[in-house]
Amino acid sequence: MNIDLARTFLEIVDTGNFNKAAERLSVTQSTVSMRIKALEDELGRPLFVRSKSGTQLTAAGLQFRRYATTMVRVWEQARQELALPPGFRTVLNIGGQFSLWDRLLVQWIPWMRTAMPDVALKAEVGLSDGLMRQLMEGLLDVGVMYSPTSRPGLHIEKLLEERLVMVSTRRRSVEEWDVDYVLVDWGPEFRAAHSQAFPDLKTPAVSVGLGALGLQHILAYGGTGYLPMRVARSYLAAGRLFLVSQAPEFRRPAYLVHAEDEAREDWFATALDGLRYVASLENEE
């Protein structure tokens, strides 16, 4: 079976729409339709029911989903492992959101190189949606993210819980509102909790969707904003930032996601244990 057929099938399952799947795959909608027809002809069963409300899996489609996920993952692993240079037994593909690479995942890489020097590492940066898609397609072995979505065949566990604290470049209390407040968008849960805590807050002059950008702006030009304690800790110790007294704190969990596969070798369990260990070092209490 052409592996592109299985990839196309999984993309439609993820998007629920032939057109959206075509956009993600950078092909035409007719190409997607032809691939699915070829797949259905090969299997001898219809896989989708199409309607105005979207695309639904048939009973056969539900059964095939698990096999398609495994096929894509095994193909990608085989392709990568066959290209490995001598001295390496396998490659581990890991992806994480940008703000989780800082301090957390960058510490895991040297841990892995010491613990398992014969395992090559390929690291990616992305958003939760993209990382989940790569996990479903077998392009990633492990993902570390803030907002995973439940998918068949994927295991999700809480890796750590970040403590978001309000910091400022000068000593102040939350009652002395800073006109240079920078709204760092830490996701939908944070936005909801932030709006509840500050119902009268007008739109700030600066809003950013990337924590690192918010941090650099505050350090360079002064101001106030919410940052993870694990990121702010060194700046607090150096006196470059100060905790804003009486400001509410927020929690933001980060998750470890990987395929449920009992056939995984011991090296994979060791890699996951390493991630849990490094995360435990980032205790923010």
Side-chain angles (χ1 to χ4, degrees):
M1 179 184 292
N2 187 329
I3 200 68
D4 286 336
L5 302 185
R7 282 204 183 99
T8 302
F9 169 84
L10 291 173
E11 205 64 60
I12 296 171
V13 171
D14 193 38
T15 62
N17 185 287
F18 275 55
N19 290 329
K20 290 180 180 178
E23 290 176 7
R24 284 189 177 182
L25 294 167
S26 299
V27 298
T28 63
Q29 191 271 337
S30 60
T31 298
V32 169
S33 297
M34 290 173 59
R35 287 179 181 177
I36 295 304
K37 185 179 185 307
L39 183 58
E40 290 177 329
D41 289 346
E42 192 166 340
L43 295 173
R45 300 281 297 279
L47 300 174
F48 294 102
V49 176
R50 300 175 69 176
S51 65
K52 292 182 179 179
S53 60
T55 302
Q56 303 294 324
L57 285 169
T58 64
L62 288 169
Q63 287 181 307
F64 181 67
R65 177 168 56 185
R66 177 164 57 92
Y67 296 109
T69 301
T70 301
M71 288 168 53
V72 172
R73 183 171 69 248
V74 170
W75 168 256
E76 289 299 329
Q77 289 174 343
R79 184 179 62 82
Q80 293 168 1
E81 289 178 16
L82 289 174
L84 283 174
F88 292 96
R89 58 170 163 164
T90 190
V91 59
L92 188 152
N93 297 276
I94 183 169
Q97 291 192 232
F98 184 87
S99 55
L100 286 168
W101 277 107
D102 182 39
R103 288 182 57 114
L104 178 63
L105 293 176
V106 293
Q107 292 187 48
W108 173 79
I109 290 178
W111 185 95
M112 270 295 291
R113 298 299 303 129
T114 299
M116 312 207 73
D118 58 348
V119 174
L121 302 174
K122 183 179 179 183
E124 303 282 350
V125 178
L127 299 176
S128 291
D129 288 347
L131 295 173
M132 289 298 299
R133 184 168 65 252
Q134 291 183 74
L135 284 162
M136 288 293 295
E137 293 176 354
L139 300 176
L140 288 179
D141 298 301
V142 180
V144 182
M145 67 196 77
Y146 293 112
S147 303
T149 51
S150 180
R151 291 285 188 273
L154 292 182
H155 171 78
I156 300 174
E157 68 175 86
K158 184 188 289 186
L159 184 62
L160 57 83
E161 190 170 64
E162 292 193 314
R163 177 182 164 203
L164 296 173
V165 296
M166 185 185 283
V167 296
S168 180
T169 47
R170 64 183 181 86
R171 297 183 186 275
R172 50 180 291 271
S173 72
V174 72
E175 295 175 353
E176 308 169 64
W177 193 252
D178 190 350
V179 295
D180 293 322
Y181 180 73
V182 177
L183 178 57
V184 183
D185 186 354
W186 294 107
E189 292 85 1
F190 171 79
R191 289 197 299 271
H194 187 275
S195 295
Q196 187 174 3
F198 304 104
D200 299 324
L201 176 64
K202 296 180 180 179
T203 302
V206 178
S207 298
V208 298
L210 186 63
L213 179 58
L215 171 62
Q216 293 305 314
H217 178 87
I218 291 170
L219 291 174
Y221 302 105
T224 302
Y226 273 97
L227 297 173
M229 175 58 86
R230 66 179 175 83
V231 174
R233 187 181 293 118
S234 61
Y235 297 99
L236 294 169
R240 297 189 65 189
L241 292 175
F242 304 93
L243 285 173
V244 176
S245 64
Q246 302 178 330
E249 295 183 358
F250 303 103
R251 299 285 173 167
R252 190 190 195 198
Y255 298 89
L256 171 64
V257 187
H258 61 86
E260 295 177 339
D261 188 350
E262 296 180 358
R264 292 277 196 183
E265 297 182 33
D266 291 344
W267 64 263
F268 189 72
T270 300
L272 297 182
D273 287 341
L275 280 168
R276 297 182 187 109
Y277 169 71
V278 172
S280 72
L281 300 179
E282 292 298 314
N283 185 357
E284 297 175 0
E285 299 301 331

